Amino acid sequence: MDISVIGGTGEEGFGLTLRLGRAGQHVIIGSRSEEKGAATAQKAVEILGGDARVDGTTNEAAAEQGDVIS
């Protein structure tokens, strides 16, 4: 399942991303800026480990890609 976190670069969204990522879910972080979304996803992977499935993009793209939108 792909879970999109809209506004995932903020404190709450990032915390949710880490919890979902730790549970083995594929998380797509959305941001107003694609670069910020990608950088935040990379930070999450560094924290969670290389096997974590976290991607970053814009809010719009994340909304289109996710099976579940948060």
Side-chain angles (χ1 to χ4, degrees), residues 4 6 8 11 13 17 23 26 30 32 36 40 44-45 47-48 50 55-56 58 60 66-67 69:
S4 294
I6 306 302
E11 289 181 23
T17 294
H26 175 226
R32 286 178 278 170
K36 188 171 181 180
T40 303
V45 169
I47 292 169
L48 296 170
D55 296 305
T58 63
E60 293 82 5
D67 297 314
I69 314 297

Side-chain angles (χ1 to χ4, degrees), residues 3 21 23 25-27 29 31 35-36 38 42 45 55-56 60:
I3 302 172
Q25 298 299 320
H26 175 226
V27 183
I29 296 175
S31 176
E35 292 80 17
K36 188 171 181 180
Q42 180 60 38
V45 169
D55 296 305
E60 293 82 5

Side-chain angles (χ1 to χ4, degrees), residues 5 8 11-13 15 22-23 28-29 31 33 40 45 52 54 56 60 62 70:
V5 180
E11 289 181 23
E12 289 179 35
R22 249 187 222 113
I28 305 162
I29 296 175
S31 176
S33 159
T40 303
V45 169
V54 181
E60 293 82 5
S70 170

